[in-house]
Each structure stands twice: as C-alpha cells, then as structure tokens.
Amino acid sequence: MAAARGEFSSRFGFVMAAAGSAVGLGNIWGFPTQAASNGGAAFLLVYLVLAFTLAYPVLMAELIIGRFAHSNAVNALRRISPTPASGRVGVSVGVVGIVVASLILSFYAIVAGWMIAFGLSSGANLLGMNALADWLTSFSLSGNLLFMGIFMLMTIGIISAGVGGGIERWSARLMPLLLITLVSLVAYVLTLEGAMDGLKVYLLPDFERALSPKLIIAALGSAFFSLSLGVGTMLIYGSYISDRENLTALGGLVTLVDISIAVTAGFLVLPAMYAALASGVQIFTEGGALISEDTLIFTVLPELFSTMGLAGLIVSITFFFLMSIAALTSSISMLEVPVAFAIEEYGLARKKAVFIIGGLIAVASAVILLNFDTLFGLVVTVTTRYAQPLLGLCFCIFAGWLWRRDAILQELKKGNPEVAQGVFWKIWPWYIRFVCPVIIAAIFVQSLWG
Ligand code: PFF
C-alpha cells in the first residue's frame, strides 16, 4: 500500500501545493472584505497575531501527524492514539473532518462558479455579446449549476491525475501565475483616484475595534479557514512530504506565503473599493457601515470596472481569473481529503474514487443551490465558524496530550536532526498542549454567546 502512495517530488512542489490550498477565496475575498468591514488595520493586526500564534502551531500538528503516518487523517489519528478508546475518537475526528472538507467544497464550488461566470461575462462584453454577458452575471439557477459543474470538473480532472501529476504539477503552475496576477492588479489599482483613501483605512488601526470579541472571533475563523485547518487537508498534504524534509521550516514558509498573499490582497481590494467610491459607486449602507462582503465583490468591483471602459474589462477578466485560480488550488486540496480516504481505506482506484466522490459533492452543491436561502449560509457557518476551530482543537489535543512526545520529536528529527535544540521545540509542545486549546475553546465559547 505504502509504495502506491504519491509523494511531492520537491520542496517547491509541496510549498506551492500547500500554499495553493491555503491561498484561496479566503485570502483574496474573505480576508480583505472582512478587514474592510471590521476596522481595516485593526483586523489585520488581530489576524496576524492569531495566524502566527494559533494557526501556525495547529498547521504544524497536522503536518507532523500526517508525515508520521503517511496516510489519511482517520488512519493517522488512530495510529497515534495511545488507547483503543482514544483511537475511536481519532477515527471520529477524521471522519468528521472528511465530511466538513466535502461540505466546504460544496459551497466553495458555487462561489468559484460565480468567479468564472463573472470573468467570462467581461470577456463576452469585450466581444460585444452583451446579452450573454448579462446572463452570466445574473446568478440564474441554470448558470449557477453550469459553472459550479465546470469548476467541479476542473477539480476532478486535476485530482484524478494524482499527487505528482495532478496536485503538484498544477499548483506549481498556477501559484506563480496567481502571484504575478495579484501583484500586477495591486500596482494598477494603486494608481486609481481614491485608492490612497482605501490604503489609509487598511493601514491605520482602530485599537478599540481590535479588541472587540466579535472581531477576534471573525479573525480566528478567518485564520483557520485561510490555512485550511481542521479538516485534514494539511494532514494529507503532510503525508505526501518526504522524510528528508524539514517540517518546521516548510510549515513556516506555507504560513508566511498564505499571510503575505492575504495582506497583499488587502492592498488590492480596499484601495479598489475607495477608488469605486471616488468614481461614484455606493460602498456604504445608509447606516454608514460598509456594504456586505458579497456585494463588495459582485457589485462594487464590477461597477468600478465598468467606469473604466476597455481597461476595466481587461482588469475585470484578470481579477476574476485570479479568483478562479485561487479557488482551484484550494478546491483540489479539499477533494483530496475524501479521495485519499477512499483509496487507502477501501482500496478504490484513484480515478473511480475521484469521480464518485466528486460527483456526490457536485450533487450536494446542486442541493444547496436549489435551496440557496436556507442552506448556503448555514453550511458556510457550520463548517467554517464552528467545525473548523473545533476540529483544530481536537488536533491540538491529539498532538499535545495523546501522542507520545518522543515520537513527535523523532518525526521532526527526520528532516532536521538539530530540532531539539531549536526555538520551535522549546515552545511548540507546550503551546499546542495548553495555549492553543485554551484560546480556541475560549474564543469558541465566546462565539456561542456572541
Ligand atoms: N484556505 C482556503 C481559502 O483560504 O480559501 C479555504 C480552504 C481550503 C478551507 C481547504 C479548507 C480546506 F480544507
């Protein structure tokens, strides 16, 4: 079995794949729009602190467990459990993670479908096909189903090619493209009138807001979602890392790339909003608050683009292309979670597993689309606001309390023989045991009352 498992062929391949999973709509849409509605730099500050102090340690827990077991989360958590009873808990955590990853993909594919449709709409406008362009941005049920389906097919296509030929190859192609596109867009948007006002909002912190419980909960959810934590994605990617690699450095690099891209996306989205304001587009509600996150992307930005004539169409195509790539490198990591499980635990062939599971998730997306008002928000909230931090908490308990500390050290030593003398080993075991669980639990309890 072990011989049939895929492995990332290079450090670059792993970092691109894991950063590709981490960098998604959460970074380019979620983070900047949340920052925009939660006091700009105040949110940025809390997010940075939480990402380094809470999300990075949990990411490391997933990577270490994954590489130790070289298998999916269910089997890995069972293996590191000291007793049969904790093994059963581990199996349940792994299974819940698989369900949550699949549910996240089911709503993610819908949003990604909108990104593709909006990009194509600008293309249609460019070609003078205005009726088609209007239909593409009308959120019609048929359009939503069609583009969700197309996005799922792309995800399925990549995952069916396996770890090296699918995940690694495509992440290594798409991530540099994403970076170039993002930086070019930032450079362009910063030249627009009004952009500097957005920059000010982004960079001047409002400390009173930074300490509000609502903001901290939003930032924690955002940090967990952004690093793809809790659902076994990073664990499964960790399981494909070679034993020669230095895990602490790789995890740090992935966190750094993820945060840098979220922060850079803030330099795009906030200035763009204020540029839109300067060109007469409404960005505040009557009560003076910023309009909601989805309106920002699907109304404000398109309106801004439309004030810019031909250049606007090109910028719009580029922007939605960027969003679609970000979504794709993340969605492949979500689909890999149930697929790896089906291959390893039930002996299914990869292609068969991918088509069956991908098909089922597409059906779940269709059900959400057919009951959009009741289901969409519910699935997003349950999976990202509650399940991800709670599962993250379980990973802390497994890595901090249940797994033998010397086994963890042996695993880390494989690619980094001096790890016991370094800062990481002085802080992390204690951190993942006490600090992370207590803070995640406290924030979670707060959120239930909030
Ligand atoms: N990290 C992705 C984003 O920021 O959009 C979302 C994500 C990917 C969540 C993979 C969960 C996951 F398993």
Side-chain angles (χ1 to χ4, degrees):
M1 200 78 205
R5 287 195 105 239
E7 188 172 283
F8 291 113
S9 69
S10 68
R11 189 170 306 163
F12 177 76
F14 165 75
V15 173
M16 288 300 106
S21 166
V23 174
L25 300 176
N27 300 62
I28 303 177
W29 177 18
F31 171 77
T33 50
Q34 276 184 322
S37 19
N38 287 302
F43 189 84
L44 173 62
L45 209 69
V46 177
Y47 177 84
L48 285 180
V49 172
L50 290 179
F52 278 112
T53 57
L54 282 177
Y56 170 68
V58 179
L59 169 70
M60 285 312 301
E62 284 203 36
L63 291 181
I64 301 169
I65 296 174
R67 199 191 50 188
F68 164 79
H70 283 301
S71 80
N72 65 83
V74 173
N75 186 35
L77 291 174
R78 188 195 294 130
R79 277 187 51 199
I80 64 167
S81 296
T83 62
S86 54
R88 282 193 290 279
V89 176
V91 169
S92 315
V93 170
V95 170
V96 173
I98 291 171
V99 174
V100 174
S102 309
L103 284 174
I104 293 179
L105 179 52
S106 69
F107 79 74
Y108 212 79
I110 296 173
V111 182
W114 295 336
M115 301 295 171
I116 298 177
F118 269 67
L120 288 178
S121 164
S122 304
N125 264 327
L126 200 61
L127 300 173
M129 299 155 85
N130 295 344
L132 175 65
D134 289 346
W135 176 77
L136 284 165
T137 53
S138 66
F139 296 102
S140 66
L141 181 62
S142 52
N144 287 344
L145 285 167
L146 176 68
F147 289 103
M148 175 275 289
I150 292 177
F151 182 78
M152 278 305 295
L153 278 177
M154 294 199 281
T155 307
I156 287 173
I158 295 178
I159 286 299
S160 65
V163 180
I167 300 175
E168 180 170 354
R169 174 187 293 169
W170 281 96
S171 303
R173 283 178 185 166
L174 295 174
M175 287 304 287
L177 195 61
L178 178 141
L179 203 65
I180 295 169
T181 315
L182 179 63
V183 171
S184 323
L185 278 173
V186 170
Y188 179 73
V189 164
L190 286 180
T191 64
L192 299 177
E193 200 196 320
M196 290 306 138
D197 295 332
L199 212 55
K200 277 191 209 129
V201 172
Y202 190 37
L203 295 178
L204 294 178
D206 173 353
F207 285 103
E208 222 167 274
R209 288 191 83 146
L211 297 173
S212 101
K214 191 174 145 261
L215 187 129
I216 295 179
I217 292 159
L220 180 76
S222 193
F224 267 73
F225 183 72
S226 179
L227 272 173
S228 317
L229 297 178
V231 295
T233 300
M234 288 302 180
L235 191 150
I236 198 73
Y237 275 15
S239 80
Y240 300 137
I241 301 178
S242 132
D243 285 347
R244 291 182 305 277
E245 297 295 347
N246 177 341
L247 278 185
T248 49
L250 286 184
L253 210 56
V254 171
T255 311
L256 216 61
V257 173
D258 181 59
I259 293 174
S260 314
I261 294 200
V263 172
T264 312
F267 286 99
L268 168 66
V269 174
L270 276 93
M273 282 167 47
Y274 282 80
L277 181 68
S279 60
V281 179
Q282 179 87 18
I283 64 166
F284 294 106
T285 61
E286 278 171 14
L290 266 175
I291 55 175
S292 71
E293 292 160 18
D294 47 349
T295 326
L296 232 41
I297 295 291
F298 294 115
T299 309
V300 171
L301 293 185
E303 280 186 34
L304 167 68
F305 299 146
S306 72
T307 61
M308 292 156 43
L310 184 65
L313 288 178
I314 311 269
V315 174
S316 175
I317 294 172
T318 318
F319 177 77
F320 287 108
F321 175 68
L322 168 75
M323 289 296 216
S324 308
I325 299 180
L328 190 59
T329 53
S330 296
S331 67
I332 55 178
S333 74
M334 297 173 206
L335 184 56
E336 182 63 14
V337 173
V339 164
F341 174 73
I343 295 173
E344 291 171 6
E345 302 294 310
Y346 295 101
L348 250 62
R350 175 170 281 272
K351 283 209 161 49
K352 191 168 174 192
V354 173
F355 278 96
I356 295 174
I357 296 170
L360 287 174
I361 294 175
V363 170
S365 297
V367 171
I368 296 178
L369 277 171
L370 290 166
N371 303 278
F372 192 83
D373 292 341
T374 15
L375 286 184
F376 185 79
L378 184 71
V379 177
V380 174
T381 309
V382 170
T383 53
T384 63
R385 184 150 166 205
Y386 299 114
Q388 275 194 288
L390 273 187
L391 287 164
L393 180 66
C394 295
F395 278 107
C396 295
I397 293 169
F398 271 87
W401 293 88
L402 298 174
W403 197 12
R404 290 192 343 269
R405 187 140 349 154
D406 58 320
I408 302 182
L409 186 58
Q410 286 319 315
E411 186 53 43
L412 285 170
K413 275 186 175 168
K414 281 182 189 162
N416 181 8
E418 267 86 57
V419 69
Q421 284 79 49
V423 191
F424 180 83
W425 190 248
K426 293 202 172 61
I427 299 177
W428 182 85
W430 161 85
Y431 216 89
I432 199 80
R433 196 175 170 117
F434 298 107
V435 181
C436 294
V438 169
I439 298 181
I440 297 172
I443 295 180
F444 186 76
V445 170
Q446 270 272 8
S447 80
L448 288 182
W449 268 273

